[in-house]
Amino acid sequence: MDMHDLTGALQQENDSKIVMLVADGLGGLPQEPGGRTELETAFTPNLDELAARGVCGGSIPVKPGISPGSGPGHLGLFGYDPLKYVIGRGALEATGIGFELQGNDVAVRCNFCTLDAEGNISDRRAGRIPSEQSVPLAVRLRDVAVEGVELFVEPVKEHRFVVVFRGEGLGGNVADTDPQRTGVPPLAPQANDSASQRTADVAAEFSRQAVQLLADQPAANGLTMRGFAPKPALPTYQEVYGLRAAAVAVYPMYKGLARLVGMDVIGEAQTLEQQVQVLREHWQRYDFFFLHFKYTDSTGEDGDFDAKVKETARFDTAIPDIMALKPDVTIVTGDHSTPAMWKAHSWHPVPTLLVADYCRTDACQSFGETECNRGGLGQFEAKYLMPLALANAGRLTKYGA
Amino acid sequence: MDMHDLTGALQQENDSKIVMLVADGLGGLPQEPGGRTELETAFTPNLDELAARGVCGGSIPVKPGISPGSGPGHLGLFGYDPLKYVIGRGALEATGIGFELQGNDVAVRCNFCTLDAEGNISDRRAGRIPSEQSVPLAVRLRDVAVEGVELFVEPVKEHRFVVVFRGEGLGGNVADTDPQRTGVPPLAPQANDSASQRTADVAAEFSRQAVQLLADQPAANGLTMRGFAPKPALPTYQEVYGLRAAAVAVYPMYKGLARLVGMDVIGEAQTLEQQVQVLREHWQRYDFFFLHFKYTDSTGEDGDFDAKVKETARFDTAIPDIMALKPDVTIVTGDHSTPAMWKAHSWHPVPTLLVADYCRTDACQSFGETECNRGGLGQFEAKYLMPLALANAGRLTKYGA
């Protein structure tokens, strides 16, 4: 029995509201040993007040020591075991550019490459061709037609684009065609199981026509295909939690991840203020809201400690307007840590707080990594956050008599 | 390999004594934010002394956010994964009234109901008939006879009673006969697998005769059957831990749960003082003692904060006499929290302490929820408490060379 079997069996409806505020990459590191992290440096009176009123702890995104990408990071927060549910690379790339995958799609990450006169790869990334040049080429590939299959070609950036094959009987288990070295031609698409043979055939035909269409392009006259993947089969929030769930995000990746678990993506917000406004406007229509804030991660990736401090403080300013809606359960967390000193996603537990009437508060008086170490939630795997939210919302009955 | 494979393989005998003191529903919540819980309010000098001397932590009964019933709550404490081992509803009800299930039993929860002239249910609970009236009716049903099967009919209270079928070839997988609404007759017992067909046939014949015997009862002239369940197949304490184990409990449910894992139920204690006396009298004959104290749960369920405080303090007074027996390992915990403010079993971690010569003590100076947050046991799933007890008792050898 896994957690979704439990929450599925024990769920009960009421009119409570749950808000999950995700500051991407929230956790950090001090600039020198014994110093303060970005979150501990930032002026966050509103988050501190929530920490004092609620219960705190450290969220382990996947398992100790594992630094997650955005996909597994968010799946964990959404309560989907990130080791059980895997979003294939192609599907994640399509999701990240806002492509809405359907159940009979196979998505593929493609690279433009340079082929020499013999058809061997001379540059696996087509000289990292700038987007201004590559986007029109990707669009040109929309002229490819393969019988019985709908094709979608979407630019990403530089040498990268996505192809989606839509049709019946397309398995997702096809090997990469990138040989990972130069001086040899791209590999022919090989199906790893019989259910994927047709996909391999479609991919081969797509490639053949694409090379014809690119013949006049000296820099980008070929392509390789990687990460063939179907839409991941994820049960929905409605099924596993009984929640009508909505996502308020600015970036396509997070909208897409939310859609994959059955959330409605609401509003067209471009700023944090607009996100809060969207939350307010849709307050009556949903039980659960996921609000995503990107800039704590991007500044961390840039290695810009001061900028991350500033974005953290900016995130804090949105709290009063959100709390004015009187959610029954409020969670503030991140999908992983992105310490500016590390300049990348990391494995460190993410500072997390939960506020609800019956949350059993702890000794934490402010919101930060060190303070969370003595929190009443202890350290826990992110996938347990949703069951805790449901319990605090009174949405789970007793297990067993 | 699960924990029982480990403890089974690593167990070694010695003459140590382990005592597990379970204050049912021990964990609580403060009456106002930032206040003290029941346990933190109660005068518990003896528990505080144990907490200072031992190691503390928070026991998660099942998984974060999951509120257990008594069955899974105790299975966890006994070291049996409550998601792997499930006690069916009928078996738990029989256990709760002190019926000792055998290996070829199927237990069923039954309700008296009211049938109209057409045989349709007009009241699913027979007007919640008082026990004084329903007990003689249950006893009357002992006149039912079905060939090849031994029958036991046991009153519970009001409209509820238990039937146990004992015999060869009785599977437990039969659907409920309660249609969950009025205006229709009870459903015929349906076997969900071929091994349970005979059980369904026996149940149908039992029902038929029962309705004849109840024909002169206007309020309770029918019955429905729910939660068909065999005796759960649980390995014994002797098998998985090598322990001769005894239970000292007042209420039938906890005696029954202890019996299911192979403990001897000792004594006839009706009070806490008598329980300690029973412990003392049997001290030489067993390696492990489970002592159950009910009133921290019942007062919590009643929502009576002050009464729970009082019962917690009363529980504390038993500690010196227990410690005078010089157990090698002493554990104090609960099967779940029952905060008076929540009036029900909850998901909150349960304050837990363990005292033993080599327990590695921590900074905790008193026994309470907040103090346990900084305890050396951290937060842990209840099922790990028995391995910790065995280790501290010197009853587990090294794993691997």
Side-chain angles (χ1 to χ4, degrees), chain A residues 269-323:
Chain A
Q270 295 299 312
T271 67
L272 182 56
E273 293 68 29
Q274 290 169 355
Q275 286 180 280
V276 176
Q277 179 61 23
V278 168
L279 198 67
R280 192 181 298 118
E281 286 165 4
H282 293 76
W283 189 247
Q284 292 310 324
R285 304 235 291 277
Y286 295 94
D287 309 309
F288 176 93
F289 298 87
F290 156 58
L291 186 148
H292 182 267
F293 180 73
K294 176 68 179 170
Y295 308 99
T296 31
D297 176 61
S298 46
T299 49
E301 296 245 21
D302 291 344
D304 191 337
F305 188 96
D306 294 340
K308 191 174 172 197
V309 168
K310 206 168 144 187
E311 291 300 337
T312 305
R314 192 159 75 83
F315 177 66
D316 181 82
T317 62
I319 300 296
D321 283 344
I322 295 167
M323 295 310 289

Side-chain angles (χ1 to χ4, degrees), chain A residues 98-171:
Chain A
F99 188 92
E100 283 190 55
L101 288 172
Q102 297 188 6
N104 53 354
D105 287 354
V106 171
V108 192
R109 302 162 84 195
C110 297
N111 280 356
F112 287 115
C113 67
T114 316
L115 302 177
D116 64 20
E118 283 74 44
N120 293 325
I121 298 173
S122 56
D123 189 318
R124 290 176 52 240
R125 296 184 186 84
R128 291 195 186 272
I129 180 174
S131 301
E132 307 88 76
Q133 294 173 40
S134 65
V135 169
L137 295 182
V139 171
R140 187 187 291 185
L141 298 188
R142 291 178 180 165
D143 289 343
V144 174
V146 180
E147 199 177 312
V149 179
E150 225 180 326
L151 292 174
F152 302 86
V153 183
E154 301 293 340
V156 180
K157 67 175 191 176
E158 297 172 350
H159 55 284
R160 291 158 50 203
F161 64 101
V162 167
V163 173
V164 176
F165 305 135
R166 178 170 297 168
E168 297 301 317
L170 297 175

Side-chain angles (χ1 to χ4, degrees), chain B residues 278-359:
Chain B
V278 168
L279 199 68
R280 192 181 298 118
E281 286 164 6
H282 293 77
W283 189 249
Q284 292 310 322
R285 306 234 291 275
Y286 294 94
D287 310 309
F288 176 92
F289 297 87
F290 156 58
L291 186 148
H292 181 268
F293 180 73
K294 176 67 178 170
Y295 307 100
T296 31
D297 177 60
S298 44
T299 49
E301 295 245 22
D302 290 344
D304 191 337
F305 189 95
D306 294 340
K308 191 175 173 196
V309 168
K310 206 169 144 187
E311 290 299 337
T312 305
R314 192 158 75 85
F315 177 67
D316 181 82
T317 63
I319 301 297
D321 283 345
I322 296 168
M323 296 310 289
L325 297 168
K326 301 194 184 303
D328 297 279
V329 179
T330 308
I331 288 168
V332 181
T333 187
D335 55 336
H336 51 75
S337 296
T338 308
M341 302 302 289
W342 185 253
K343 297 186 188 178
H345 297 192
S346 82
W347 63 92
H348 303 92
V350 185
T352 299
L353 66 81
L354 185 154
V355 181
D357 281 350
Y358 299 97
C359 69

Side-chain angles (χ1 to χ4, degrees), chain A residues 1 3 6-7 10 358-363 373-378 380 384 387-388 391-392 394 396-401, chain B residues 27-29 34 62-72 82-83 86 89 92 337 341-342 345 347-349 369 373 379:
Chain A
M1 195 178 311
M3 288 308 288
L6 272 179
T7 58
L10 303 179
Y358 298 98
C359 69
R360 188 193 276 171
T361 192
D362 53 29
N373 280 341
R374 58 174 185 151
L377 294 176
F380 59 92
Y384 294 119
L388 283 167
N392 276 280
L396 290 181
T397 60
K398 200 160 64 172
Y399 169 61
Chain B
L29 285 171
V62 179
K63 291 280 179 187
I66 305 303
S67 306
S70 297
L83 295 179
V86 175
R89 292 276 172 161
L92 194 70
S337 296
M341 302 302 289
W342 185 253
H345 297 192
W347 63 92
H348 303 92
E369 287 79 354
N373 280 342
Q379 282 189 10

